[in-house]
Amino acid sequence: MPNSITLAERFLPILDGVYKAESKTAILEGANRNIRFLGGNAVEIFKTQMDGLADYSRKNGFVKGSVTSGWDKYTLSKDRGVELDVDAMDNEETLGMAFGTLVGEFMRTKEVPELDAYRFAAMASASGVSGTSADLSAAAATIAAIDTATVAMDDDEVPYEGRILFVSPTIYGLIKSGITRMVMNKDKDVNYNVDIYNDMRVVTVPQARFNTAITLYDGTSNFGYAVPSGSYKINFMVVHPSAVLPVVKHEIPRIFSPAVNQSADAWKFQLRLYHDMFVLKNKVKGIYVHKKSTANS
C-alpha cells in the first residue's frame, strides 16, 4: 500500500499581520538635552533670556544688561496601558504564535500609531504655532504652500538646517508630480521618490495619524484612539526638532507565563506608557501647520 502523507497545517506558522508603518515621530526624539525629571509627573526644561545691545558711552562705558535663566515646568498628562491574556492551550496549539507575536504586533499596530497621532495633534494644537488652511489638489499650489511655510520660518529666524517636512500621502504624491526629473537613456530604474526637499527631510505620515486633534479612549467602551469631528486633517507640517520635546518617562512591557499568572492559565502581557509631547514656549515658531479647510465630520 503506498504512503499517504498529509502535511500538518500547524507547521505553517506564517504571521498574517496588519500593515502598519513604523513610528513617524521618532525622528524628533533626542533633540533637547537640557531637561530634568522632578519625580512624579513633572518635567523641567531649562531656558535663558538676556538683554540685547545698547549704546556704548565713552564717558560711562557699557550699559549693564541682565540675564534671566530658569526652568519651565511641564506636566506629563498621558498615562496609558493595557493587559492582554492568551490562553495557554491557544498558545500551544498555534506553536507559540498566539503570544509570541503579540508583543511586537501590539507595539507596531496599536502603540506606535497612537503615539504618533497624539504627538502630531499636540504640535498642531499648541498655542502660537504658525500655519494656515487650504484644500490642496494641484502640485503647483502644494509646492507654493510649502515654500510659503519655509519663508515664514525664515522670517521667524527658525534654524534652516534640521527642519523636517511631514506630509500626508496625498501631499507627498502632489510633491512628486510637481518635480521634473531627467532619465538618461541607459537608466533602467525610474524613481520619483523625494527624500529631501529644499534641505528638509521628507517624512510621509498616514492620514489617520495626521490630524489636529484625537480622542483617546479610556477602555470602558472602546480602546485606542479616534479622530473626532471638528478636527482637521493635516496636509503638511514643518517642524524643527529643537522646538519640541517628546517625553516617554515610563514604558515597561511585562510578560507573565502561565506558571506565575495567578488569575488564569494564560500568558499575560501588560504595557504601561507614561508620556507627553511638549512644545517649548520660546520656540513655538519652529512649527508650521498647513491643514485642510474643511473639518472632519
Side-chain angles (χ1 to χ4, degrees):
M1 181 177 180
N3 291 336
S4 177
I5 301 175
T6 301
L7 296 178
E9 294 181 359
R10 71 188 186 92
F11 291 132
L12 301 175
I14 299 173
L15 174 62
D16 183 14
V18 178
Y19 287 118
K20 285 289 183 181
E22 70 279 4
S23 173
K24 301 301 182 178
T25 56
I27 194 172
L28 298 173
E29 298 174 358
N32 290 285
R33 298 298 182 188
N34 294 327
I35 64 172
R36 67 182 182 185
F37 289 97
L38 300 179
N41 63 349
V43 177
E44 285 198 344
I45 300 173
F46 186 76
K47 73 173 184 179
T48 184
Q49 294 177 309
M50 63 202 74
D51 291 329
L53 293 170
D55 286 342
Y56 179 81
S57 171
R58 296 192 179 190
K59 178 180 179 181
N60 299 317
F62 294 97
V63 178
K64 186 172 293 294
S66 62
V67 177
T68 302
S69 298
W71 296 84
D72 275 345
K73 186 175 180 179
Y74 295 80
T75 302
L76 277 74
S77 64
K78 297 297 169 283
D79 198 353
R80 308 282 286 163
V82 74
E83 178 180 284
L84 301 172
D85 288 343
V86 175
D87 184 82
M89 291 298 99
D90 289 339
N91 192 57
E92 178 181 317
E93 291 166 359
T94 59
L95 299 180
M97 292 289 287
F99 189 78
T101 60
L102 184 147
V103 177
E105 283 293 282
F106 177 83
M107 291 183 175
R108 185 175 64 85
T109 65
K110 303 299 181 182
E111 179 186 7
V112 167
E114 178 181 311
L115 191 63
D116 279 349
Y118 174 75
R119 286 175 171 179
F120 283 120
M123 288 188 287
S125 61
S127 176
V129 298
S130 301
T132 188
S133 61
D135 295 325
L136 299 174
S137 60
T142 299
I143 291 174
I146 295 173
D147 291 343
T148 297
T150 59
V151 169
M153 298 188 87
D154 291 343
D155 284 339
D156 289 328
E157 302 187 55
V158 178
Y160 185 82
E161 294 184 354
R163 296 177 189 175
I164 301 170
L165 175 60
F166 295 98
V167 298
S168 71
T170 299
I171 297 302
Y172 183 63
L174 291 172
I175 293 174
K176 290 200 298 182
S177 66
I179 296 176
T180 301
R181 296 189 176 183
M182 299 295 294
V183 179
M184 305 303 291
N185 291 335
K186 293 183 178 180
D187 288 346
K188 296 181 180 180
D189 298 326
V190 178
N191 189 338
Y192 285 90
N193 291 332
V194 181
D195 297 322
I196 305 292
Y197 180 80
N198 287 348
D199 292 333
M200 294 183 290
R201 171 81 177 272
V202 179
V203 178
T204 307
V205 183
Q207 192 69 74
R209 307 184 197 180
F210 213 30
N211 294 272
T212 60
I214 65 168
T215 297
L216 295 175
Y217 291 120
D218 62 8
T220 55
S221 60
N222 212 333
F223 292 83
Y225 76 97
V227 178
S229 59
S231 63
Y232 292 82
K233 291 181 173 62
I234 299 172
N235 291 319
F236 68 84
M237 181 184 294
V238 183
V239 180
H240 196 282
S242 65
V244 298
L245 181 64
V247 176
V248 177
K249 187 175 182 182
H250 185 77
E251 181 189 24
I252 299 182
R254 302 196 300 177
I255 296 173
F256 303 91
S257 71
V260 298
N261 184 357
Q262 298 182 6
S263 60
D265 182 23
W267 288 87
K268 185 187 297 291
F269 166 69
Q270 296 176 335
L271 184 136
R272 185 180 178 188
L273 181 64
Y274 194 26
H275 73 99
D276 218 319
M277 182 63 158
F278 302 125
V279 176
L280 305 191
K281 297 172 184 177
N282 285 350
K283 298 182 178 179
V284 69
K285 295 303 180 182
I287 300 173
Y288 186 99
V289 182
H290 192 291
K291 61 185 181 180
K292 290 186 177 294
S293 58
T294 303
N296 292 314
S297 57

